[in-house]
Amino acid sequence: MHAWPATEVPVLPGQGRDLDIHDTATGGRVTLTPGPVARIYVCGITPYDATHLGHAATYNAFDLVQRVWLDTKRQVHYIQNVTDVDDPLLERAVATNMDWTALAERETALFREDMTALRMLPPKHYIGAVESIPTIVPLVERLRDMGAAYELEGDIYFSVESDAHFGEVSGYDAETMRLLSAERGGDPERPGKKNPLDPMLWTAAREGEPHWDGGTLGPGRPGWHIECVAIALEHLGMGFDVQGGGSDLAFPHHEMGASHAQALTGEFPFARTYVHAGMVGLDGEKMSKSKGNLVFVSQLRKDGVDPAAIRLALLAHHYRADWEYTEAVLDEAKARLARWRSAVSRPDGPPAESMLESVRVALADDLDTPAALAAVDAWAEEQATRGGTDEGAPGLASRTVDALLGVAL
Ligand code: 5CA
Ligand code: ZN
């Protein structure tokens, strides 16, 4: 599967800073210290509907992680998946009388357009679940053969007890896990499972559903968590720097993925850090495809909203906060974009080096984007009120905002 085009990231003067970030697994701050090539896996979309602002906010957070790394002169090895076969996609295809592959292709294409418009850095490899099936099957066979997975009426389940570290990503208690498992694609009520939390690795072919050759597993399709594990292990290996997604992925998805990989390899950890973005809501509810309370990036673009303003609306909130989208949020972002554009359109201005330093400090501090925006606001305000004589300043300000925040002025 192809990704979307890359944009040039300006190289900034001076020294980038290492990122301190909140790690879900330890529940505290860690300083990320990747090698010269930083490795990150960010869970991609399930393409049954268009990209909404919640998705965009989550991808924005992980785009910033990469921009901070690039600013420290590291290379970034970034992998993202597309869950192009799964229950919600198949259900939507049936409900809308569409071919499921056509639906997935259409929504994935729209996602690429949205990501391009928002200037999100593309992954080095953008990989679908379907194309990963030949990688997934041997992993499930191996888990079964080593006793970490078992069969139930033709389906194959992972045994959560096979990983001594199970539960350490989310840190949730048993009751919470059970509730979330039922809510988020698990089947804790199914009789015959060794542990109600055990997730499906391989779903045996069902009437009317797509299925593939599963070798000794029989015909079927892959479970959700093993998809991301297969892709991450193939392209990043164990112990990669960051696994990212929205906070709704901490359990079961990232918990199960970590356990699959740890059971498979006998190594720990799957990812060194687990980073989760807050949930964006509308009218008091988490924005979600199943609830239908969505504000789509593509719709805003169609309405003529500048993608840079959409991005500034996302940046105005701390990535870990849950927040509500309102028209006022977008209006504020549009006004800020206009002020910044006006400030960089002059031939000179107040020196911008300290603004660059403040943006670096803010981002290194658990991606404190509200503080980063405040630093640029202060420079733009100074430009508007007193101006300055530094001829390099508007260019440096513009490159800072471009390189570190992904906003083209
Ligand atoms: N395909 C899987 C991951 S392998 C999946 O969760 N797809 S998704 O389309 O449902 O979500 C894509 C990403 O957007 C996930 O990281 C998810 O946590 C995030 N996300 C979904 N809804 C919201 C929301 N309302 N606010 C913030 N992030 C969200
Ligand atoms: Zn995933």
Side-chain angles (χ1 to χ4, degrees):
M1 199 163 286
H2 67 94
W4 53 96
T7 45
E8 199 73 19
V9 179
V11 176
L12 298 170
Q15 195 59 46
R17 287 174 171 259
D18 278 336
L19 177 57
D20 278 355
I21 202 153
H22 183 88
D23 170 37
T24 304
T26 50
R29 286 267 191 119
V30 295
T31 303
L32 298 180
T33 52
V37 181
R39 295 176 294 164
I40 179 166
Y41 186 97
V42 180
C43 282
I45 55 161
T46 305
Y48 65 90
D49 213 337
T51 314
H52 59 64
L53 279 179
H55 300 130
T58 290
Y59 294 110
N60 179 56
F62 297 100
D63 188 74
L64 298 177
V65 169
Q66 296 177 58
R67 289 173 184 278
V68 171
W69 281 339
L70 292 173
D71 190 37
T72 60
K73 311 280 190 289
R74 289 178 170 100
Q75 286 180 42
V76 178
H77 199 123
Y78 169 31
I79 309 296
Q80 189 181 128
N81 68 304
V82 189
T83 308
D84 57 0
V85 63
D86 201 8
D87 296 336
L89 174 71
L90 299 174
E91 284 160 18
R92 178 65 64 92
V94 169
T96 55
N97 208 9
M98 261 190 96
D99 172 54
W100 66 275
T101 53
L103 175 61
E105 273 168 33
R106 185 184 75 190
E107 298 308 335
T108 305
L110 192 57
F111 177 72
R112 290 190 191 97
E113 283 175 28
D114 289 337
M115 292 296 106
T116 307
L118 292 171
R119 303 182 100 248
M120 302 286 180
L121 299 168
K124 191 177 162 79
H125 297 286
Y126 190 48
I127 301 176
V130 171
E131 64 185 322
S132 306
I133 290 172
T135 322
I136 294 170
V137 169
L139 297 187
V140 178
E141 287 176 325
R142 203 182 333 150
L143 283 168
R144 181 200 53 196
D145 295 347
M146 67 198 285
Y150 59 93
E151 190 194 316
L152 180 61
E153 295 157 332
D155 299 326
I156 312 284
Y157 280 92
F158 176 74
S159 184
V160 295
E161 269 99 36
S162 62
D163 174 33
H165 294 282
F166 175 74
E168 291 181 14
V169 173
S170 65
Y172 293 148
D173 59 55
E175 186 49 27
T176 307
M177 285 190 193
R178 206 183 156 100
L179 284 171
L180 291 178
S181 159
E183 225 174 79
R184 300 176 180 166
D187 55 2
E189 305 300 334
R190 182 170 177 178
K193 289 170 68 173
K194 289 189 180 162
N195 183 314
L197 297 175
D198 291 345
M200 192 102 80
L201 288 165
W202 186 256
T203 308
R206 285 169 174 49
E207 185 66 34
E209 284 190 0
H211 52 81
W212 290 264
D213 176 17
T216 62
L217 307 173
R221 62 182 167 94
W224 172 29
H225 320 303
I226 192 69
E227 159 195 349
C228 286
V229 170
I231 297 169
L233 287 182
E234 171 152 354
H235 294 278
L236 298 174
M238 289 296 281
F240 59 92
D241 296 290
V242 168
Q243 171 151 43
S247 57
D248 58 342
L249 295 190
F251 192 91
H253 188 51
H254 290 168
E255 189 76 72
M256 296 300 178
S259 282
H260 290 358
Q262 285 151 194
L264 266 167
T265 61
E267 291 170 36
F268 177 85
F270 178 47
R272 293 169 69 188
T273 322
Y274 297 88
V275 178
H276 293 107
M279 288 291 119
V280 181
L282 182 72
D283 304 331
E285 289 255 41
K286 167 193 157 185
M287 222 178 256
S288 85
K289 289 179 268 206
S290 47
K291 292 203 181 93
N293 60 338
L294 307 174
V295 178
F296 295 118
V297 173
S298 45
Q299 188 59 48
L300 292 175
R301 293 198 288 119
K302 247 186 237 153
D303 296 344
V305 179
D306 190 325
I310 303 175
R311 185 131 188 185
L312 279 178
L314 307 175
L315 290 162
H317 302 86
H318 192 269
Y319 81 98
R320 282 206 290 132
D322 296 327
W323 56 279
E324 289 277 307
Y325 175 77
T326 59
E327 288 270 331
V329 167
L330 190 58
D331 288 343
E332 230 173 86
K334 288 177 187 168
R336 173 174 273 134
L337 182 63
R339 288 199 307 274
W340 288 11
R341 284 205 168 132
S342 160
V344 299
S345 67
R346 302 223 205 136
D348 50 20
E353 282 78 8
S354 64
M355 182 266 269
L356 163 59
E357 184 56 16
S358 302
V359 172
R360 277 181 167 145
V361 168
L363 290 181
D365 181 15
D366 199 23
L367 301 177
D368 188 350
T369 53
L373 298 196
V376 184
D377 282 344
W379 179 83
E381 175 69 15
E382 175 81 5
Q383 171 75 306
T385 51
R386 279 201 289 269
T389 56
D390 183 344
E391 289 175 6
L396 180 58
S398 161
R399 285 193 300 281
T400 298
V401 168
D402 184 354
L404 293 176
L405 302 174
V407 174
L409 294 179

